């Protein structure tokens, strides 16, 4: 702290190894802002897991075939692909805060449409609307959290994104055993409404405000997030200098992404998204009930077990993020998923797969996407990697039920091969 006059705290200190070490607990304003943002992640978790406990009820009530229900499940990812095409540019124009608000409007419309659906067409349109909304949310939430958080705690705060996604999945898996699918759809409105209201009480990303030249709002936002008694002068200067430097290269085009200087970042970003989706994670989340039933295990018991495994494994990733680092967690997570995929091909040990996925591969690709690209191309690069993620997710979710009928064991051997390739 500075001597003489008013004592001002530094937002973070550096330890001897250069790693950030918090000099004080995170301010309540930062915790609240992160909570409001990750309500979007909770919505995403509810969306991707809804089709699993709802499968039996929907197919019986509306008479859907395997192909029709696979369309319902996978159309979420089609909406995600559409949202991914616009997420980067929309965030750059509107800012993170208003992009999240717009996203939840689409999600809310979708949940109501599903809850009241008299036919498969209404189901698909509602699911498509939710997909469009979460296509924005999967991009903008980690961006916002990374931009409002100081360096010393950025990894842990960013992983709260995955923790809340897992919480959403777990609650839907758990509660879906006891209520109808229409009531479950209405439950999806809860995190959407929480975020829609909460966004009125949190500031815009300071970095976005600095980028668009709103200096007074930028300083007020940064001070509110760090606390009134915190000296923000160094961080403010760093952000302003970064934004000024990037203004010289602010008119980036799509082809600029393929310059040699971005090759490594682009390869990492795209590779991680392909690793996350081609490993079959979306298929497992979307159709867990069907997988458990095929394995000859009681569906309700299996989904309850999954619901209790997801949150602790994601919490472990949150606490390990800033200590172990991104790469070791990814290696452990991918290795565990590879091994568990092999076991699942033999005996459907689904719970171990979910735990391995949640600790690293589930959330780290989105965190690294928000970190590895410079601001000058972040919108374009984020759009591209999000599009690749949702496209590969559609491929997995649409074909998953057909592959499950064809050969449950063979499907997981294919997944196992994809993880062996990624690790090497």
């Amino acid at each position: 702290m500075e001597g003489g006059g008013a004592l001002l705290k530094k937002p973070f200190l550096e330890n001897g190894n250069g790693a950030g070490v918090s000099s004080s607990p995170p301010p309540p304003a930062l915790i609240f802002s992160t909570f409001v943002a990750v309500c979007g992640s909770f919505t995403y978790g509810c969306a991707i897991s809804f089709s699993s406990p709802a499968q039996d009820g929907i197919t019986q009530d509306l008479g859907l075939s395997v192909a029709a229900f696979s369309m319902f499940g996978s159309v979420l990812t089609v909406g995600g692909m559409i949202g991914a095409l616009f997420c980067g540019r929309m965030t750059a124009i509107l800012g993170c805060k208003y992009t999240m608000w717009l996203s939840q409007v689409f999600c809310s419309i979708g949940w109501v449409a599903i809850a009241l659906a008299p036919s498969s067409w209404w189901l698909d349109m509602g699911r498509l609307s939710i997909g469009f909304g979460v296509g924005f949310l999967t991009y903008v939430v980690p961006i916002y959290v990374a931009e409002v958080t100081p360096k010393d705690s950025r990894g842990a705060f960013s992983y709260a994104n995955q923790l809340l996604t897992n919480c959403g999945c777990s609650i839907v898996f758990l509660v879906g055993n006891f209520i109808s699918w229409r009531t479950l759809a209405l439950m999806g409105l809860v995190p959407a409404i929480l975020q829609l209201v909460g966004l009125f009480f949190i500031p815009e990303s300071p970095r976005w405000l600095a980028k668009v030249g709103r200096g007074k709002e930028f300083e007020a936002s940064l001070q509110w997030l760090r606390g009134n008694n915190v000296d923000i002068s160094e961080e403010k200067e760093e952000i302003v200098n970064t934004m000024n430097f990037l203004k010289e290269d602010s008119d980036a085009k799509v082809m600029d992404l393929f310059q040699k200087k971005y090759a490594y970042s682009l390869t990492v970003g795209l590779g991680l998204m392909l690793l996350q989706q081609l490993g079959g994670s979306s298929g497992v989340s979307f159709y867990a009930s069907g997988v458990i039933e095929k394995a000859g295990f009681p569906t309700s018991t299996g989904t309850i077990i999954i619901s209790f495994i997801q949150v602790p494994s994601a919490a472990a990733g949150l606490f390990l993020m800033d200590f172990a680092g991104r790469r070791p967690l990814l290696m452990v997570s991918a290795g565990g998923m590879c091994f568990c995929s092999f076991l699942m091909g033999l005996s459907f040990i689904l719970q171990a797969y979910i735990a391995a996925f949640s600790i690293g591969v589930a959330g780290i690709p989105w965190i690294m996407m928000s970190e590895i690209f410079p601001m000058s191309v972040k919108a374009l690069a984020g759009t591209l990697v999000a599009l690749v993620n949702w496209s590969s997710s559609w491929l997995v979710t649409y074909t998953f039920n057909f592959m499950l009928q064809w050969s449950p064991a063979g499907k997981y051997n294919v997944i196992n091969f994809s993880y062996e390739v990624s690790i090497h």
Side-chain angles (χ1 to χ4, degrees), residues 68-143:
F69 190 79
S70 293
M71 174 60 73
F72 166 71
S74 63
V75 78
L76 177 84
T77 61
V78 176
M81 284 188 276
I82 298 172
L85 289 172
F86 303 101
C87 62
R89 183 59 61 187
M90 190 68 71
T91 303
I93 295 172
L94 296 180
C96 295
K97 183 176 172 180
Y98 290 105
T99 301
M100 286 188 282
W101 196 91
L102 180 65
S103 303
Q104 290 292 15
V105 170
F106 281 100
C107 290
S108 299
I109 293 171
W111 285 120
V112 172
I114 291 175
L116 303 178
S119 65
S120 61
W121 187 88
W122 276 79
L123 282 176
D124 292 343
M125 290 301 100
R127 187 89 164 155
L128 183 69
S129 180
I130 294 173
F132 187 74
V134 297
F136 280 111
L137 289 171
T138 52
Y139 171 82
V140 71
V141 170
I143 292 291

Side-chain angles (χ1 to χ4, degrees), residues 182-206:
R182 294 185 187 274
T183 306
L184 190 63
L186 290 176
M187 277 187 56
L189 285 170
V190 174
I193 293 172
L194 278 176
Q195 187 170 48
L196 284 170
V197 175
L199 285 169
F200 288 103
F201 301 97
I202 66 172
E204 180 54 82
S205 160

Side-chain angles (χ1 to χ4, degrees), residues 60-389:
Q60 291 173 11
D61 292 352
L62 300 180
L64 269 61
S65 64
V66 171
F69 190 79
S70 293
M71 174 60 73
F72 166 71
S74 63
V75 78
L76 177 84
T77 61
V78 176
M81 284 188 276
I82 298 172
L85 289 172
F86 303 101
C87 62
R89 183 59 61 187
M90 190 68 71
T91 303
I93 295 172
L94 296 180
C96 295
K97 183 176 172 180
Y98 290 105
T99 301
M100 286 188 282
W101 196 91
L102 180 65
S103 303
Q104 290 292 15
V105 170
F106 281 100
C107 290
S108 299
I109 293 171
W111 285 120
V112 172
I114 291 175
L116 303 178
S119 65
S120 61
W121 187 88
W122 276 79
L123 282 176
D124 292 343
M125 290 301 100
R127 187 89 164 155
L128 183 69
S129 180
I130 294 173
F132 187 74
V134 297
F136 280 111
L137 289 171
T138 52
Y139 171 82
V140 71
V141 170
I143 292 291
Y144 179 83
V145 174
E147 291 186 357
V148 301
T149 311
K151 294 177 182 178
D152 61 316
S153 52
R154 188 167 295 158
F157 269 84
S158 295
Y159 209 81
N161 172 45
Q162 184 57 40
L163 178 62
L164 267 291
T165 298
N166 281 26
C167 287
C169 289
S170 295
I171 288 178
V172 168
F173 278 140
L174 181 63
V175 177
N177 289 300
F178 308 105
I179 62 176
S180 71
W181 61 273
R182 294 185 187 274
T183 306
L184 190 63
L186 290 176
M187 277 187 56
L189 285 170
V190 174
I193 293 172
L194 278 176
Q195 187 170 48
L196 284 170
V197 175
L199 285 169
F200 288 103
F201 301 97
I202 66 172
E204 180 54 82
S205 160
R207 290 182 178 270
W208 183 82
L209 292 170
K211 181 181 178 183
V212 298
R214 291 158 63 173
K216 290 184 178 180
E217 293 175 68
F218 153 64
E219 187 171 348
S221 172
L222 187 62
Q223 189 71 70
W224 190 84
L225 288 164
R226 300 294 177 261
N228 293 330
N229 297 323
V230 173
D231 179 8
I232 62 169
S233 56
E234 291 183 14
E235 188 177 7
K236 181 178 72 172
E237 184 178 0
E238 176 192 347
I239 293 174
V240 170
N241 290 339
T242 301
M243 295 301 109
N244 289 337
F245 175 77
L246 292 174
K247 282 181 181 178
E248 301 175 3
D249 194 21
S250 59
D251 297 325
K253 303 294 188 291
V254 173
M255 294 309 298
D256 293 341
L257 287 174
F258 301 97
Q259 296 178 36
K260 186 177 180 180
K261 62 181 178 180
Y262 301 130
Y264 182 77
S265 296
L266 195 61
T267 302
V268 171
L270 294 176
L272 288 174
M273 292 305 179
L274 289 171
L275 164 67
Q276 184 189 76
Q277 292 301 333
L278 294 184
S281 59
S282 291
V284 172
S285 297
F286 281 38
Y287 310 117
S289 296
V291 175
I292 294 169
E293 184 179 357
K294 281 281 186 180
F297 199 72
T299 301
S300 59
T301 304
T303 52
I304 289 173
I305 292 173
I306 292 173
S307 70
F308 282 106
I309 286 178
Q310 283 189 308
V311 175
S313 55
L318 186 150
F319 289 111
L320 291 172
M321 178 65 63
D322 286 325
F323 294 98
R326 277 69 161 163
R327 190 172 185 272
L329 274 183
L330 278 172
M331 295 291 287
V332 170
S333 179
M337 293 173 71
C338 175
F339 178 67
C340 291
S341 294
F342 172 73
L343 294 179
M344 288 165 71
L346 300 176
S347 59
F348 286 91
I349 305 181
L350 181 62
Q351 293 77 16
Y353 175 91
I354 294 290
F357 175 71
S358 298
I359 201 171
V361 172
I364 292 178
W366 291 108
I367 294 173
M368 293 187 66
M369 179 273 295
S370 69
E371 296 175 337
I372 61 178
F373 295 110
M375 288 292 294
S376 57
V377 296
K378 181 175 285 189
L380 289 173
T383 296
L384 179 59
V385 297
L387 180 61
V388 168
N389 182 282

Side-chain angles (χ1 to χ4, degrees), residues 395-417:
L395 178 64
V396 170
T397 54
Y398 185 71
T399 61
F400 194 90
N401 271 333
F402 298 107
M403 293 179 69
L404 187 63
Q405 286 193 328
W406 166 63
S407 174
K411 176 177 79 278
Y412 287 106
N413 286 332
V414 172
I415 293 173
N416 181 42
F417 174 74

